[in-house]
Amino acid sequence: MSLTNYGYNAASEKTVRERWRVAVPTELLALVGLIGVVCWLVFPKDLASSLRSARMDAVTLSYTNAWLRAKPDDFDVRLVLAHNLMDLGLLDQARKQLDYIAAHTTDPAIRATQSWLRSRLPFIALMAIPPERRRDDPLWQQSRAALEDVDPATLSLRQLEHYAEMALLLEQPDAAVDAYHLLAEQQAFPATWYARGGAALLARGRYREAANEYLLAMASQENRYGRRRYFLAALSSLESGGLVREASELGRREAEPFLNDQRVLYRLMNLARAADNLPLAEQYAILLLKLDQGLGTP
């Protein structure tokens, strides 16, 4: 029986399969780029907005590159691209985007973000190195110098958090504490940020400074239990450094709001005893007895 029977032709079917073969990768990329340009022509604002918030993948990267070829002065999208490239570890490509921005705009906000991202380049490269080898790598000093060139006052809240994280990893706790103070000044609940500064300093053996940060947290906390928490943290910071007499004196100065709190009184009594201040320890003991007998202030 002929293969052409029933309207079927083997040769023509083979030709159709070849014509409909899947496109090669370069053709796909070209097609994606073309789609991006068409989308820009049809709804440019929507596409630009989507590119600024999209998660970076191969398709989004193709769209973004096509968009920037058509709109090279869209510096917001270019900043997003640079940031995403940094997250992917493509630092050379990110640097090229940042260089382009620096050379083609004088907008203060754009340049501030560009400068911030550039300061992170050596740090991101440093973090790719095993921790035990970082201090001996030239990137260590480059990262510290780049961080010192950043003005924290120009950073957004999220950038300030990253700045503080960088500072701690680069063993610059003072810079981190300054960033935490800036965050505290701009937040509805500043105590958390002061407490982070206290924890950072305490971990580095700076006991008095840590206690001061916890006192700032206490002063900014309206909740009674929160104030007690940070007051006790300040005392613990001094105790951790063997500064028992200073802790007892701090307790005496700041104790008034807590004189009806059994937990705090017991702590202050033991501190006074450890500091060999027996009269003060006796005062706290008397207050504790009054509370036990129901005679203290409710």
Side-chain angles (χ1 to χ4, degrees), residues 125-137:
L126 180 67
M127 291 299 102
I129 298 173
E132 65 274 9
R133 291 168 45 196
R134 289 173 186 166
R135 288 185 60 89
D136 297 326
D137 194 282

Side-chain angles (χ1 to χ4, degrees), residues 129-250:
I129 298 173
E132 65 274 9
R133 291 168 45 196
R134 289 173 186 166
R135 288 185 60 89
D136 297 326
D137 194 282
L139 286 169
W140 176 265
Q141 291 302 330
Q142 293 175 28
S143 299
R144 288 169 64 95
L147 187 73
E148 291 170 0
D149 287 340
V150 175
D151 180 3
T154 66
L155 302 179
S156 68
L157 297 181
R158 186 163 182 79
Q159 289 169 350
L160 273 172
E161 289 188 56
H162 287 305
Y163 175 92
E165 176 189 350
M166 290 169 60
L168 291 177
L169 288 170
L170 293 170
E171 297 184 8
Q172 294 181 306
D174 290 325
V177 170
D178 289 343
Y180 289 142
H181 283 195
L182 288 172
L183 284 162
E185 292 166 7
Q186 301 175 64
Q187 300 289 313
F189 303 100
T192 299
W193 300 107
Y194 291 125
R196 286 197 187 186
L201 294 170
L202 180 61
R204 287 156 180 81
R206 296 169 60 173
Y207 305 106
R208 293 186 180 92
E209 294 164 281
N212 289 335
E213 293 299 310
Y214 284 121
L215 290 177
L216 288 173
M218 182 188 77
S220 66
Q221 176 64 259
E222 295 181 1
N223 181 276
R224 179 168 67 93
Y225 296 104
R227 290 176 61 84
R228 179 179 70 179
R229 172 189 174 190
Y230 294 125
F231 176 57
L232 294 175
L235 297 178
S236 294
S237 297
L238 293 173
E239 285 185 283
S240 296
L243 306 171
V244 178
R245 284 189 171 85
E246 290 186 34
S248 179
E249 177 58 23
L250 171 63

Side-chain angles (χ1 to χ4, degrees), residues 22 35 113-114 130 138 164 195 200 219 250:
V22 175
I35 293 172
T113 303
Q114 182 269 348
L250 171 63

Side-chain angles (χ1 to χ4, degrees), residues 56-107:
M56 184 58 62
D57 55 26
V59 174
T60 306
L61 180 60
S62 296
Y63 274 125
T64 304
N65 285 329
W67 173 261
L68 290 175
R69 282 194 293 271
K71 295 281 290 182
D73 60 344
D74 191 336
F75 298 114
D76 287 329
V77 169
R78 202 174 287 276
L79 283 171
V80 171
L81 175 59
H83 185 275
N84 287 329
L85 289 170
M86 291 167 64
D87 286 345
L88 294 172
L90 303 174
L91 302 186
D92 288 337
Q93 294 184 41
R95 186 177 290 105
K96 289 178 182 178
Q97 297 297 330
L98 296 174
D99 288 344
Y100 184 93
I101 293 170
H104 291 85
T105 184
T106 57
D107 183 289

